[in-house]
Amino acid sequence: MANEITGVNGPITGWLDGHTYLIGLMAYPIRHSMSPTMHNNAFAKLGLNYTYLCFEVGNDKLEKAVDAIRTLDMRGSNVSMPNKKEVIKYLDKLSKASEMCDAVNTIVNDHGVLTGYTTDGIGFVRALKKEGQTVKGKIMTLAGAGGAATPIAVQSALDGCKEIRIFNLHDDKWAQAEKNVKTIEENTDCKVTLTDLKDQDAFKKSIAESDIYCDATGVGMKPLEDMSLVEDPSWFHKDMVVFDTVYAPRTTKLMKVAQKAGVEHVFNGIGMMIEQGAASFKLWTGEEMPTDYIKQIID
Ligand code: NAD
């Protein structure tokens, strides 16, 4: 069934023709994604003859889908869950951060050679930079060790973060947390520790000593939108950065607690989401995404 198309007022020229470069997003489920809106609006704004489409692809169809990138000479693709680790075996090369995270969210096709990158961590660092903040030389307390926290930890360490204190539950992500500690220690000068989140005294002390507190757990979004890992504003100090990777809702419980504490630099995950897209966009097109324009559209 055809959907109504809005915003097209006449014949399309110079776009979606025989020369269009195709970028995909391979994940399952994926129809909810904001990435097509983000990338297609950026292509249109810059007059780039590219298009970005979602493909419902799980692990079962992944090998053929990656092969299709080569066969159809697509410029590349994003990959999301459940494919971020699984896709590695079908690629030719990996970026350093991807290797350290053991995950890929962006594939670039250079004449049949497929390179995997992870841009989520770059998105985090750039979102902070855009707000005048940096990870360089800083102490960060990081809650989580999953798909968002791992690239955040790895990229922050690669970009000169002095110390990362990871807190996680003793759940199915504990082994990944241990792996993150080992990988970061082996590859960077960043000091990194792992503590059970249940040790609330250690958690509180760590936040008090930190320049940055980042929650990458998803606590604060549905079905946990009334929860925050920090409930007491006195745990925060005013001159720190508090960052929640959640972007729905735009203001999480954690952010409210931080604002109550008088913390000036409190951020949700929308900047990270746009900046990880911008980093992928640059890898495919060589151009800077007009991020302020895109933020107006999707925020
Ligand atoms: P994940 O399932 O891979 O990891 C979840 C992490 O949270 C794990 O470390 C787990 O141990 C921990 N956790 C889960 N429930 C918890 C609880 N009740 N208390 C304490 N810790 C708990 O998920 P993910 O892909 O890393 O996503 C995490 C969050 O980051 C989600 O909200 C997601 O929307 C967000 N995210 C944002 C961006 C962005 O660009 N802003 C990108 C990726 C993910």
Side-chain angles (χ1 to χ4, degrees):
M1 199 172 65
N3 290 319
E4 189 188 353
I5 298 174
T6 56
V8 179
N9 297 317
I12 301 170
T13 54
W15 190 34
L16 300 180
D17 58 15
H19 300 281
T20 305
Y21 292 103
L22 175 61
I23 314 274
L25 166 53
M26 298 171 177
Y28 189 90
I30 201 55
R31 296 291 178 212
H32 61 280
S33 173
M34 284 195 276
S35 292
T37 304
M38 178 162 67
H39 288 289
N40 287 320
N41 277 290
F43 297 145
K45 181 76 176 169
L46 298 186
L48 297 174
N49 197 358
Y50 284 74
T51 194
Y52 184 106
L53 296 176
C54 278
F55 299 104
E56 281 189 324
V57 171
N59 287 176
D60 54 332
K61 293 194 283 186
L62 189 59
E63 184 174 8
K64 283 187 174 166
V66 173
D67 241 7
I69 297 176
R70 294 189 183 89
T71 309
L72 303 177
D73 202 18
M74 292 168 63
R75 178 63 181 127
S77 186
N78 275 138
V79 285
S80 194
M81 295 311 287
N83 300 327
K84 284 186 167 184
K85 275 191 203 304
E86 190 71 14
V87 77
I88 289 175
K89 59 177 179 260
Y90 307 125
L91 304 179
D92 302 304
K93 293 194 290 184
L94 288 184
S95 72
K96 173 96 176 162
S98 258
E99 223 174 82
M100 288 172 69
C101 294
D102 198 23
V104 162
N105 80 336
T106 303
I107 301 169
V108 178
N109 178 13
D110 290 309
H111 310 291
V113 178
L114 302 188
T115 307
Y117 297 83
T118 175
T119 63
D120 286 321
I122 298 172
F124 170 74
V125 170
R126 277 205 203 175
L128 284 180
K129 198 171 167 199
K130 200 141 192 200
E131 300 290 348
Q133 307 300 320
T134 179
V135 294
K136 207 171 164 67
K138 299 292 169 69
I139 299 177
M140 174 160 67
T141 296
L142 174 63
T150 296
I152 286 173
V154 163
Q155 194 64 46
S156 298
L158 286 172
D159 287 354
C161 194
K162 185 167 85 178
E163 192 176 333
I164 301 173
R165 301 166 177 186
I166 300 170
F167 284 80
N168 210 84
L169 296 174
H170 236 291
D171 62 5
D172 61 332
K173 291 292 190 297
W174 184 261
Q176 181 67 45
E178 288 181 319
K179 190 162 175 267
N180 293 348
V181 172
K182 192 166 175 276
T183 312
I184 290 169
E185 270 178 349
E186 282 172 5
N187 288 277
T188 75
D189 294 329
C190 181
K191 184 180 172 207
V192 55
T193 56
L194 170 61
T195 309
D196 193 328
L197 190 57
K198 280 203 178 130
D199 187 344
Q200 289 283 294
D201 290 340
F203 189 42
K204 179 180 172 181
K205 182 168 179 287
S206 179
I207 291 172
E209 292 169 353
S210 290
D211 304 294
I212 302 168
Y213 171 63
C214 175
D215 185 324
T217 65
V219 171
M221 69 182 276
K222 267 188 185 162
L224 305 174
E225 69 257 58
D226 296 328
M227 274 181 64
S228 167
L229 297 180
V230 180
E231 299 270 359
D232 181 348
S234 74
W235 286 28
F236 294 128
H237 52 93
K238 285 191 174 60
D239 51 345
M240 72 188 302
V241 168
V242 174
F243 194 106
D244 199 335
T245 58
V246 170
Y247 49 80
R250 294 290 194 266
T251 308
T252 61
K253 176 85 183 292
L254 166 69
M255 294 168 68
K256 287 178 190 161
V257 173
Q259 282 158 352
K260 207 167 171 190
V263 179
E264 197 185 330
H265 303 294
V266 180
F267 308 113
N268 64 23
I270 201 84
M272 172 177 164
M273 206 273 290
I274 293 172
E275 293 297 334
Q276 63 77 32
S280 303
F281 188 90
K282 174 94 189 213
L283 288 167
W284 294 317
T285 66
E287 304 284 340
E288 298 294 339
M289 179 184 273
T291 49
D292 292 337
Y293 171 72
I294 295 302
K295 190 162 193 287
Q296 283 170 26
I297 293 172
I298 66 172
D299 197 4

